[in-house]
Amino acid sequence: MPAQQPLTQTIRGKVIDRDSRAGLPGANVVLVGSKPPLGTATDNDGNFILKNVPVGRQSLKVSYTGYQTVILPGIIVRTGKQPVLTIELKEDVKSVGEVEIVGYQRKDKPINPMALVSARSFTVNETNKYAGSYGDPARMVANYAGVVSTRDNRNDIIIRGNSPMGLQYLLNGVEITNPNHFSALGTTGGPVTILNVNLLANSDFLTGAVPASYGNALAGVFDLKMRTGNPDVREYWGELSFNGLEFGLEGPFSKKSSATYIAAYRYSLTGLLENMGVRLKESANFQDLSFNLAFPTKKAGTFKLFGMGGISKIKILDSNKPEEKWTFPTHGENIINSSSLGVSGLSHLYFFNKTTRILTHLSVVASQVETEVDTFSIQNQTPFIFAGEKSGEVKYNLSSKVMKKFSAADNFDFGISADLYDVNYNDSAYKHRENSYRHYTGSRANYYLLQAFTQWKHNYSNRFSSVIGLRYLYLTLNGTWSLDPRLAVSWNITPTQSLNFGAGLQSQMQPRMMYFVQTPLENSGYYLTNKNMGLSKSGQVMLGYNALFLEYFRIKVDAYYQYLFDIPVSESIPQYSIINQGTEYYVERQDSLVNKGTGTNYGLEFTLEKFFSRNYFFLFTASLYQSKYKGYDGIMRNTAFNGNFVLNGVGGYELPLGKTKQRSLIFGLRVTWAGGRPYVPYDQEETVKQGEVVYDRKNAYQPRFPDYLRSSLRIGLRRNEKKFNMEFYFDLQYRANYTYIYYYRIDVLTGDIYKEYRLGFYPMAVVRVQF
């Protein structure tokens, strides 16, 4: 019987200059350890094709005259899907006594060459391989130092004690406030992400002291990139998971053209079950579509048309339940919420020459939220409209930036951006004391956010670099502005050790609907008392140490201090600060805010990481931090996010099976232990007396929820066949103490408080096929 032929695949990619992003012709690409040797060279544009690569984990060595040679370890090569790589080489900055540097490509090194501190890149494989991440970038980065999830049923994340509202999402350079299903205005999270990781390329995550190219964010930045489709062959995939049933495709438009496409559509699993006649306690349906079309030209540059859209709707109806299963013993609620998001962008990248390029974006981002809350009692079961919202935002953006590489030592960027907002806010709630509805917002308006930045990077040698930058923001709504300086320094003490320092000022506009919160006048009508709020600001300083050892291991230690100022607070509720908002399904519509609040965040972070090799990986992080604020009364208090500590551990092992090792068992484990978050307790007596929720503000953020302990176990199987590959894994999550509770509610009729801690085991399965 003839021996089975080993399965092989083709690796494609492009080798580029890390700073100028120009292709490097004639670069050598060699498969490490191949016998006989297997390699190729890049063409005039820097592209390469390496055929007959054995399926499995492989490494590439890439070299080019005048550039630092790198080795890319652990590349996953599978049947049914060609790896398409972008390989960045750094030009040598020669100085007396220096020798050629040959090293492994740092998997954590950010893609943005201007990001020297508090930044790392991540891959699609990382998003999928971490147990309990659900293919969601936000849930995945919750394993990193300084990051913690706010609750399990949402993907909001707290970065270094900051509100999740301080996080910014960028997709191909376009800002998206909230890329999640079932979202709320002013928040950045939700239960299910609209982002499809199967369309993402390697991307960056930044947690502070960001370069000047980023603005309008206080906490951190997700700089996400969509990958282009395979330029040579058409490929398809299907997936069934927590994020729904998905189908995707990619490839060239034709064999004669270099234009490519990639697209994917998802439909919620609960929606499929309901369409098959299965009755569920809660009806939650969503669907989304993502695409990226690339059109390279010979002389006019590269055009890309990309987009993402999602719609979702959930119904939680007590009216369909028996009385004993209502939300409260005395009365029930019907909640209907729907949200939608649409993103469409056109980008153009043009190289004037190999060292100068311009990138221009034209985009539209539209979102809408509709909510209705009805209440009814045992005595009167006719639903009464208690609260409702119908709000929408449309943002038109035009931005452009020029990037120039003067030499191996000097790089310069300059950019401008204009956002035109067309907003329409309407929400109200019934106030029992007034026996009427309070209209929190009811405005339509247009205004601009104008921004500009410049930054310069100088490499003094191969070991020492600095970046200085300046960013300007101007909000036409009320004439507020800010000029934010930035500085970062990196010193490679040895080829495997480095020190990093960063400092700067970051500014952010308030959640947009907060500018239009209305204050009732004594006679009639409303007044916009928040319209003149200024930008919130954060001065940040951080110091970091990195060390690589034993080839695949890394230790990282970061210390940081942040001083937040010009934070909106309230004179009438002196304990209030907008700094504590952003973790719920609704941002409190507080009026009459003034920029007189402050806050401080400081902490120490530790990371021990082993990149994938010898069939296993692990990541252990520990964070100790303090997060405090001062309201209008000037008293220092805990913020809502001051959990004090977070410990994370995640890892995995792949066990090859069979003689050809084309099957692998997958094992994964994740454990998280985090300190309990402070909260504002209810004033039970006043709540019953007034017939509406009243908080005990005098004890704001003194009590804490219990500590949070969660673990996730993964068991799976990966198999390669000649024409396709298949992957299945099963995640079993256990919540031992659900700190970030599902809900914390008070019955306004009895004053009884209800906390739901949804403990126990929660399974999730994923099936993925690529062909």
Side-chain angles (χ1 to χ4, degrees), residues 95 103 158 166 174 197 229 276 300 304 328-329 388 435 472 494-495 499 503 520 549 551 615 659 684 702 726 729:
S95 62
I158 300 166
V174 175
V197 296
M276 292 187 294
K304 289 184 180 180
F328 302 104
N435 194 28
Y472 175 74
T494 69
L499 280 174
F549 62 98
E551 194 174 297
N615 299 327
K659 293 182 179 180
Q684 295 171 273
Q702 293 184 23
M726 181 180 70
Y729 58 83

mmCIF file of all heavy atoms in Angstrom, residues 95 103 158 166 174 197 229 276 300 304 328-329 388 435 472 494-495 499 503 520 549 551 615 659 684 702 726 729:
data_model
loop_
_atom_site.group_PDB
_atom_site.id
_atom_site.type_symbol
_atom_site.label_atom_id
_atom_site.label_comp_id
_atom_site.label_asym_id
_atom_site.label_seq_id
_atom_site.Cartn_x
_atom_site.Cartn_y
_atom_site.Cartn_z
ATOM 1 N N SER A 95 25.679 52.357 13.429
ATOM 2 C CA SER A 95 26.573 53.203 14.217
ATOM 3 C C SER A 95 27.808 52.397 14.551
ATOM 4 O O SER A 95 27.826 51.177 14.405
ATOM 5 C CB SER A 95 25.889 53.696 15.505
ATOM 6 O OG SER A 95 25.542 52.606 16.330
ATOM 7 N N GLY A 103 16.831 38.275 14.963
ATOM 8 C CA GLY A 103 15.997 37.911 16.100
ATOM 9 C C GLY A 103 14.638 37.425 15.670
ATOM 10 O O GLY A 103 14.262 37.513 14.502
ATOM 11 N N ILE A 158 -12.573 47.669 31.453
ATOM 12 C CA ILE A 158 -11.964 48.719 32.264
ATOM 13 C C ILE A 158 -10.463 48.654 32.026
ATOM 14 O O ILE A 158 -9.833 47.616 32.209
ATOM 15 C CB ILE A 158 -12.274 48.506 33.755
ATOM 16 C CG1 ILE A 158 -13.786 48.518 33.995
ATOM 17 C CG2 ILE A 158 -11.578 49.558 34.605
ATOM 18 C CD1 ILE A 158 -14.184 47.981 35.353
ATOM 19 N N GLY A 166 -13.987 55.565 27.992
ATOM 20 C CA GLY A 166 -12.733 56.121 27.525
ATOM 21 C C GLY A 166 -12.037 55.292 26.470
ATOM 22 O O GLY A 166 -10.960 55.667 25.993
ATOM 23 N N VAL A 174 -11.298 54.272 10.906
ATOM 24 C CA VAL A 174 -12.584 54.948 11.114
ATOM 25 C C VAL A 174 -13.055 54.698 12.543
ATOM 26 O O VAL A 174 -13.136 53.550 12.989
ATOM 27 C CB VAL A 174 -13.641 54.434 10.118
ATOM 28 C CG1 VAL A 174 -15.007 55.049 10.413
ATOM 29 C CG2 VAL A 174 -13.208 54.755 8.692
ATOM 30 N N VAL A 197 -13.971 38.535 13.714
ATOM 31 C CA VAL A 197 -12.520 38.332 13.768
ATOM 32 C C VAL A 197 -12.007 37.600 12.538
ATOM 33 O O VAL A 197 -10.814 37.682 12.221
ATOM 34 C CB VAL A 197 -12.124 37.558 15.038
ATOM 35 C CG1 VAL A 197 -12.450 38.362 16.271
ATOM 36 C CG2 VAL A 197 -12.787 36.192 15.088
ATOM 37 N N GLY A 229 -8.756 40.050 0.841
ATOM 38 C CA GLY A 229 -9.003 38.677 0.412
ATOM 39 C C GLY A 229 -7.804 38.060 -0.277
ATOM 40 O O GLY A 229 -6.878 38.758 -0.717
ATOM 41 N N MET A 276 -37.157 27.820 13.892
ATOM 42 C CA MET A 276 -37.458 26.393 13.841
ATOM 43 C C MET A 276 -38.566 26.002 14.816
ATOM 44 O O MET A 276 -38.848 24.820 14.989
ATOM 45 C CB MET A 276 -36.196 25.584 14.139
ATOM 46 C CG MET A 276 -35.130 25.689 13.051
ATOM 47 S SD MET A 276 -33.718 24.574 13.306
ATOM 48 C CE MET A 276 -33.001 25.271 14.790
ATOM 49 N N ALA A 300 -2.440 54.766 -9.691
ATOM 50 C CA ALA A 300 -3.308 55.631 -8.884
ATOM 51 C C ALA A 300 -3.400 55.214 -7.428
ATOM 52 O O ALA A 300 -4.194 55.755 -6.667
ATOM 53 C CB ALA A 300 -4.708 55.667 -9.494
ATOM 54 N N LYS A 304 -9.851 51.063 -1.241
ATOM 55 C CA LYS A 304 -10.555 50.031 -0.479
ATOM 56 C C LYS A 304 -11.940 50.538 -0.099
ATOM 57 O O LYS A 304 -12.093 51.667 0.373
ATOM 58 C CB LYS A 304 -9.788 49.657 0.789
ATOM 59 C CG LYS A 304 -8.508 48.880 0.530
ATOM 60 C CD LYS A 304 -7.852 48.456 1.838
ATOM 61 C CE LYS A 304 -6.573 47.668 1.576
ATOM 62 N NZ LYS A 304 -5.914 47.245 2.840
ATOM 63 N N PHE A 328 -40.322 41.454 39.675
ATOM 64 C CA PHE A 328 -40.565 41.765 41.078
ATOM 65 C C PHE A 328 -41.852 41.083 41.525
ATOM 66 O O PHE A 328 -42.774 40.881 40.708
ATOM 67 C CB PHE A 328 -40.693 43.275 41.286
ATOM 68 C CG PHE A 328 -39.487 44.054 40.835
ATOM 69 C CD1 PHE A 328 -39.513 44.767 39.647
ATOM 70 C CD2 PHE A 328 -38.337 44.078 41.597
ATOM 71 C CE1 PHE A 328 -38.418 45.493 39.226
ATOM 72 C CE2 PHE A 328 -37.225 44.797 41.173
ATOM 73 C CZ PHE A 328 -37.265 45.504 39.994
ATOM 74 N N PRO A 329 -41.973 40.746 42.807
ATOM 75 C CA PRO A 329 -43.213 40.106 43.288
ATOM 76 C C PRO A 329 -44.437 40.990 43.142
ATOM 77 O O PRO A 329 -45.552 40.495 42.994
ATOM 78 C CB PRO A 329 -42.895 39.826 44.766
ATOM 79 C CG PRO A 329 -41.409 39.798 44.862
ATOM 80 C CD PRO A 329 -40.930 40.785 43.850
ATOM 81 N N GLY A 388 -39.038 55.348 27.614
ATOM 82 C CA GLY A 388 -38.794 55.042 26.211
ATOM 83 C C GLY A 388 -37.689 55.916 25.634
ATOM 84 O O GLY A 388 -37.382 56.987 26.164
ATOM 85 N N ASN A 435 -46.093 63.100 38.679
ATOM 86 C CA ASN A 435 -47.228 62.517 37.955
ATOM 87 C C ASN A 435 -47.219 62.941 36.484
ATOM 88 O O ASN A 435 -48.243 63.259 35.884
ATOM 89 C CB ASN A 435 -48.557 62.927 38.599
ATOM 90 C CG ASN A 435 -49.710 62.065 38.089
ATOM 91 O OD1 ASN A 435 -49.510 60.897 37.705
ATOM 92 N ND2 ASN A 435 -50.919 62.625 38.086
ATOM 93 N N TYR A 472 -4.337 68.355 18.298
ATOM 94 C CA TYR A 472 -5.255 69.465 18.543
ATOM 95 C C TYR A 472 -6.688 68.991 18.312
ATOM 96 O O TYR A 472 -6.978 68.306 17.334
ATOM 97 C CB TYR A 472 -4.938 70.616 17.593
ATOM 98 C CG TYR A 472 -5.900 71.776 17.681
ATOM 99 C CD1 TYR A 472 -5.861 72.658 18.759
ATOM 100 C CD2 TYR A 472 -6.845 72.003 16.682
ATOM 101 C CE1 TYR A 472 -6.740 73.737 18.839
ATOM 102 C CE2 TYR A 472 -7.725 73.068 16.748
ATOM 103 C CZ TYR A 472 -7.675 73.933 17.829
ATOM 104 O OH TYR A 472 -8.542 74.985 17.906
ATOM 105 N N THR A 494 19.679 45.635 25.832
ATOM 106 C CA THR A 494 20.330 44.541 25.104
ATOM 107 C C THR A 494 19.352 44.114 24.016
ATOM 108 O O THR A 494 18.209 44.593 23.981
ATOM 109 C CB THR A 494 20.628 43.352 26.042
ATOM 110 O OG1 THR A 494 19.382 42.727 26.425
ATOM 111 C CG2 THR A 494 21.383 43.789 27.286
ATOM 112 N N PRO A 495 19.746 43.204 23.116
ATOM 113 C CA PRO A 495 18.780 42.740 22.107
ATOM 114 C C PRO A 495 17.527 42.088 22.695
ATOM 115 O O PRO A 495 16.528 41.957 21.997
ATOM 116 C CB PRO A 495 19.605 41.724 21.303
ATOM 117 C CG PRO A 495 21.010 42.194 21.429
ATOM 118 C CD PRO A 495 21.117 42.721 22.825
ATOM 119 N N LEU A 499 13.735 49.239 28.074
ATOM 120 C CA LEU A 499 13.024 50.153 28.961
ATOM 121 C C LEU A 499 12.216 51.115 28.097
ATOM 122 O O LEU A 499 12.692 51.578 27.058
ATOM 123 C CB LEU A 499 13.994 50.939 29.830
ATOM 124 C CG LEU A 499 14.574 50.242 31.061
ATOM 125 C CD1 LEU A 499 15.623 51.136 31.723
ATOM 126 C CD2 LEU A 499 13.473 49.896 32.059
ATOM 127 N N ALA A 503 4.746 59.729 28.240
ATOM 128 C CA ALA A 503 4.037 60.778 28.967
ATOM 129 C C ALA A 503 3.245 61.607 27.972
ATOM 130 O O ALA A 503 3.588 61.683 26.793
ATOM 131 C CB ALA A 503 5.007 61.667 29.748
ATOM 132 N N PRO A 520 -35.539 71.051 33.322
ATOM 133 C CA PRO A 520 -36.868 71.686 33.248
ATOM 134 C C PRO A 520 -36.846 73.095 33.847
ATOM 135 O O PRO A 520 -36.214 73.348 34.872
ATOM 136 C CB PRO A 520 -37.756 70.748 34.090
ATOM 137 C CG PRO A 520 -36.981 69.477 34.244
ATOM 138 C CD PRO A 520 -35.541 69.854 34.183
ATOM 139 N N PHE A 549 13.402 35.917 27.036
ATOM 140 C CA PHE A 549 14.380 34.916 27.430
ATOM 141 C C PHE A 549 13.935 33.542 26.937
ATOM 142 O O PHE A 549 12.747 33.309 26.693
ATOM 143 C CB PHE A 549 14.587 34.919 28.944
ATOM 144 C CG PHE A 549 13.367 34.581 29.756
ATOM 145 C CD1 PHE A 549 13.164 33.297 30.250
ATOM 146 C CD2 PHE A 549 12.418 35.547 30.019
ATOM 147 C CE1 PHE A 549 12.040 32.989 30.988
ATOM 148 C CE2 PHE A 549 11.279 35.244 30.764
ATOM 149 C CZ PHE A 549 11.089 33.950 31.246
ATOM 150 N N GLU A 551 14.020 32.286 24.194
ATOM 151 C CA GLU A 551 13.484 32.364 22.837
ATOM 152 C C GLU A 551 11.999 32.682 22.760
ATOM 153 O O GLU A 551 11.570 33.520 21.985
ATOM 154 C CB GLU A 551 13.761 31.046 22.092
ATOM 155 C CG GLU A 551 13.562 31.118 20.595
ATOM 156 C CD GLU A 551 13.992 29.844 19.910
ATOM 157 O OE1 GLU A 551 15.210 29.512 19.979
ATOM 158 O OE2 GLU A 551 13.136 29.181 19.307
ATOM 159 N N ASN A 615 3.989 23.023 21.183
ATOM 160 C CA ASN A 615 2.574 22.648 21.322
ATOM 161 C C ASN A 615 1.845 23.312 22.488
ATOM 162 O O ASN A 615 0.719 22.910 22.798
ATOM 163 C CB ASN A 615 2.421 21.118 21.444
ATOM 164 C CG ASN A 615 2.947 20.395 20.235
ATOM 165 O OD1 ASN A 615 2.868 20.897 19.112
ATOM 166 N ND2 ASN A 615 3.510 19.221 20.449
ATOM 167 N N LYS A 659 0.063 9.222 12.708
ATOM 168 C CA LYS A 659 1.411 9.237 12.135
ATOM 169 C C LYS A 659 1.693 10.523 11.379
ATOM 170 O O LYS A 659 2.793 11.065 11.424
ATOM 171 C CB LYS A 659 1.594 8.040 11.208
ATOM 172 C CG LYS A 659 1.587 6.691 11.928
ATOM 173 C CD LYS A 659 1.833 5.553 10.949
ATOM 174 C CE LYS A 659 1.848 4.212 11.671
ATOM 175 N NZ LYS A 659 2.095 3.080 10.726
ATOM 176 N N GLN A 684 -33.479 52.658 50.525
ATOM 177 C CA GLN A 684 -34.726 51.889 50.459
ATOM 178 C C GLN A 684 -35.913 52.686 50.979
ATOM 179 O O GLN A 684 -37.005 52.647 50.391
ATOM 180 C CB GLN A 684 -34.555 50.580 51.239
ATOM 181 C CG GLN A 684 -33.526 49.641 50.618
ATOM 182 C CD GLN A 684 -33.209 48.463 51.502
ATOM 183 O OE1 GLN A 684 -32.347 48.553 52.355
ATOM 184 N NE2 GLN A 684 -33.895 47.354 51.293
ATOM 185 N N GLN A 702 -18.859 53.099 48.742
ATOM 186 C CA GLN A 702 -18.246 52.512 49.932
ATOM 187 C C GLN A 702 -18.457 50.995 49.989
ATOM 188 O O GLN A 702 -17.496 50.267 50.247
ATOM 189 C CB GLN A 702 -18.778 53.181 51.191
ATOM 190 C CG GLN A 702 -18.355 54.641 51.321
ATOM 191 C CD GLN A 702 -18.812 55.262 52.621
ATOM 192 O OE1 GLN A 702 -19.064 54.563 53.611
ATOM 193 N NE2 GLN A 702 -18.923 56.584 52.644
ATOM 194 N N MET A 726 -11.095 21.409 9.535
ATOM 195 C CA MET A 726 -12.241 21.548 10.431
ATOM 196 C C MET A 726 -11.735 21.690 11.855
ATOM 197 O O MET A 726 -10.763 21.053 12.257
ATOM 198 C CB MET A 726 -13.160 20.336 10.322
ATOM 199 C CG MET A 726 -14.403 20.428 11.216
ATOM 200 S SD MET A 726 -15.474 18.972 11.052
ATOM 201 C CE MET A 726 -14.446 17.744 11.835
ATOM 202 N N TYR A 729 -14.401 23.066 19.076
ATOM 203 C CA TYR A 729 -14.013 23.111 20.479
ATOM 204 C C TYR A 729 -15.224 23.455 21.341
ATOM 205 O O TYR A 729 -16.205 24.064 20.894
ATOM 206 C CB TYR A 729 -12.857 24.084 20.741
ATOM 207 C CG TYR A 729 -13.076 25.512 20.335
ATOM 208 C CD1 TYR A 729 -13.748 26.409 21.155
ATOM 209 C CD2 TYR A 729 -12.563 26.001 19.130
ATOM 210 C CE1 TYR A 729 -13.915 27.726 20.805
ATOM 211 C CE2 TYR A 729 -12.717 27.324 18.765
ATOM 212 C CZ TYR A 729 -13.394 28.179 19.609
ATOM 213 O OH TYR A 729 -13.568 29.488 19.249
#
